[in-house]
Amino acid sequence: MQYGLYPHPGYPRFLEIEHIEAHPTSRGDVAERLIEPIGKWLIWYAIKVSLGFCQTEADEPLVILQALDTAVSYYRDKVQMEYLGFARSTPGEDLYGFRFSRTAAAKFCQLHESQWGEAKLYEQ
């Protein structure tokens, strides 16, 4: 996963999550072990970064991402991001847009932490 704060240079207003797609088992498909929270933890982390750096109002977009059609249900139904619809990108790549407002992003983090616990800093 990569992310970018925009606009750059300047005071960041939103964060774009780039190069993240849900592995089939992350979407809740049958798997030998539960790894669903991994994609959600990556989104949680990106939200925490954006909450710390971006200056937005409660109802303004804070986090955005574009996904392939195979991941639309994951972001819309499991992550519960706001679905924005189809957006043609580079030649041959059809993408679908999603976003979290500042309020919805904070709510996602609260719900995620209540389900999976708080993150713990790993120190070697």
Side-chain angles (χ1 to χ4, degrees):
M1 175 182 81
Q2 293 178 308
Y3 58 85
L5 294 166
Y6 299 99
H8 181 76
Y11 295 106
R13 300 211 31 94
F14 68 92
L15 178 141
E16 180 180 14
I17 298 173
E18 302 170 357
H19 308 294
I20 181 174
E21 284 299 331
H23 187 276
T25 52
S26 294
R27 293 192 304 267
D29 294 348
V30 176
E32 294 181 19
R33 61 189 177 106
L34 180 64
I35 64 170
E36 180 179 345
I38 293 172
K40 291 180 180 178
W41 277 115
L42 292 171
I43 293 169
W44 172 90
Y45 176 77
I47 289 170
K48 291 295 190 174
V49 169
S50 64
L51 288 170
F53 287 99
C54 297
Q55 301 172 6
T56 60
E57 298 297 322
D59 60 343
E60 292 180 328
L62 177 71
V63 175
I64 64 169
L65 69 81
Q66 294 179 334
L68 298 173
D69 62 343
T70 56
V72 167
S73 63
Y74 177 76
Y75 296 114
R76 183 188 60 218
D77 303 335
K78 292 202 177 252
V79 178
Q80 297 184 335
M81 294 184 84
E82 179 184 355
Y83 176 65
L84 301 174
F86 177 76
R88 186 170 295 279
S89 183
T90 57
E93 190 171 57
D94 295 337
L95 298 175
Y96 298 83
F98 293 87
R99 72 177 170 198
F100 269 137
S101 68
R102 185 175 203 88
T103 301
K107 181 180 176 185
F108 170 85
C109 288
Q110 291 169 346
L111 290 172
H112 186 71
E113 290 169 11
S114 70
Q115 181 178 5
W116 298 103
E118 293 187 15
K120 306 233 182 322
L121 181 61
Y122 175 75
E123 297 182 35
Q124 290 184 317

